[in-house]
Amino acid sequence: MAGGVLSFPLTSFHDDGSLDPDGFRTHVAARIATAPGAVFPACGTGEFFSLDEDEYRTVVTITVEEAAGRVPVVAGVGYGWAQAARFTRIAEEAGADALLVLPHYLVTAPQDGLVAQLEQLATRTRLPLIAYQRGQVAYGLDAFRRIAQIPGVIGLKDGHSDLDRLQRLTLAAPEGFLFFNGASTAEIQARAYATVGVPAYSSAVHAFAPEIANAFFAALRDGDDKTVEKLLRDFYVPLVELRDRVPGYAVSLVKAAARLRGHPVGPVRAPLTDPSAADLADLTTLLTTGLDLVGAAL
């Protein structure tokens, strides 16, 4: 999975909020065609929290069909372990290769409970699990050692960006255990994560501008600091500043950018909201700038 950016496709909706399977098929096929390291349907960027079980089945099934074995398909699951297990069974039946275990719902839990959540889920699936620490989920060293020994738990995605803690976890990990940079707009911290042994990262930008995402990945891989810093300075940092204007823009701004490029992804579902006209105008300018930097057009 470190051979390319990790792609998190958007879930397509019609204007009335209903699922748009055809639009999603077009969108996810275009993502897969750009050779990501893996594709992660129905995760945070894909509005997992807004999907019912039938919609989830459709999204994962379409992704598996379009991937056709060319890249791994890692489906998101979440909520408490009992509900997560229901989504797990659907993902198995749809042919997913692995599961990303999203943070559980609402409550703050002790370390023993975080471990038990994964233990309960691991006993109910044959698919490999990648734990996602973000929000209310953060594994201490002892809890991490325990989850790394759970049969079927193969990796950890980190969204906290606490590199001191993360370095301790990578040093304590068993051989072959996978780590992923899951920070919001992960490219901003990609170099820092790589220094503690976590080169693989997710890219929301890949959902609307794979040209930019892949150019950044190639520059980072090749040690082209000049290109990395230009893309950071002129595109990624302004994107983060725009993203931070309104809660939820980490998803809705990405979806708006995809629509600007003609991708059939539709609006976000409540409780998220689409960007204002003023923010959309700023996004259009920024997207044009980013594409110009890599020789592409809106």
Side-chain angles (χ1 to χ4, degrees):
M1 293 188 192
V5 296
L6 305 179
S7 180
F8 286 68
L10 301 157
T11 299
S12 299
F13 299 120
H14 294 292
D15 288 341
D16 65 1
S18 61
L19 185 68
D20 178 7
D22 293 337
F24 178 72
R25 186 179 294 276
T26 298
H27 173 69
V28 76
R31 302 313 96 202
I32 292 168
T34 63
V39 60
F40 290 68
C43 294
T45 306
E47 296 178 80
F48 167 78
F49 49 85
S50 292
L51 301 177
D52 67 27
E53 292 179 15
D54 289 338
E55 292 168 334
Y56 178 84
R57 183 185 301 275
T58 298
V59 166
V60 178
T61 298
I62 288 173
T63 305
V64 170
E65 290 173 352
E66 294 301 323
R70 289 176 291 169
V71 296
V73 174
V74 185
V77 297
Y79 307 115
W81 64 258
Q83 184 67 10
R86 293 172 63 91
F87 285 100
T88 292
R89 287 193 292 273
I90 295 170
E92 285 186 4
E93 293 166 1
D97 298 300
L99 302 168
L100 179 64
V101 183
L102 303 170
H104 62 270
Y105 173 69
L106 190 60
V107 298
T108 300
Q111 294 288 293
D112 285 347
L114 298 181
V115 174
Q117 165 89 338
L118 286 176
E119 289 174 336
Q120 292 285 352
L121 193 54
T123 63
R124 289 166 170 80
T125 181
R126 60 177 177 78
L127 294 180
L129 303 177
I130 299 169
Y132 190 3
Q133 63 169 12
R134 185 171 183 162
Q136 70 269 37
V137 176
Y139 298 103
L141 191 56
D142 178 66
F144 171 75
R145 289 192 176 106
R146 292 164 63 192
I147 69 167
Q149 296 302 319
I150 298 172
V153 175
I154 65 167
L156 177 73
K157 183 181 180 186
D158 175 73
H160 284 295
S161 304
D162 182 341
L163 297 184
D164 180 286
R165 176 193 292 256
L166 188 59
Q167 180 70 91
R168 296 168 192 267
L169 301 188
T170 61
L171 293 173
E175 184 176 358
F177 196 83
L178 305 175
F179 286 91
F180 306 95
N181 168 3
S184 295
T185 314
E187 286 91 344
I188 291 286
Q189 300 183 64
R191 288 192 292 189
Y193 268 84
T195 64
V196 295
V198 185
Y201 63 88
S202 57
S203 175
V205 171
H206 191 268
F208 63 86
E211 304 97 325
I212 299 173
N214 288 340
F216 183 90
F217 179 87
L220 187 66
R221 177 197 61 204
D222 297 340
D224 182 357
D225 289 338
K226 182 178 179 180
T227 298
V228 166
E229 288 167 10
K230 185 168 184 59
L231 286 169
L232 287 173
R233 183 183 305 109
D234 296 342
F235 176 74
Y236 282 102
V237 169
L239 178 65
V240 168
E241 292 171 350
L242 181 56
R243 181 201 71 198
D244 289 347
R245 289 181 186 176
V246 176
Y249 267 17
V251 177
S252 55
L253 203 71
V254 172
K255 218 166 193 183
R259 292 195 301 273
L260 287 173
R261 303 206 69 199
H263 301 169
V265 296
V268 293
R269 277 181 173 173
L272 300 179
T273 58
D274 290 311
S276 67
D279 290 344
L280 190 60
D282 289 344
L283 176 62
T284 303
T285 300
L286 177 58
L287 181 54
T288 301
T289 297
L291 291 168
D292 284 345
L293 290 173
V294 298
L298 186 61

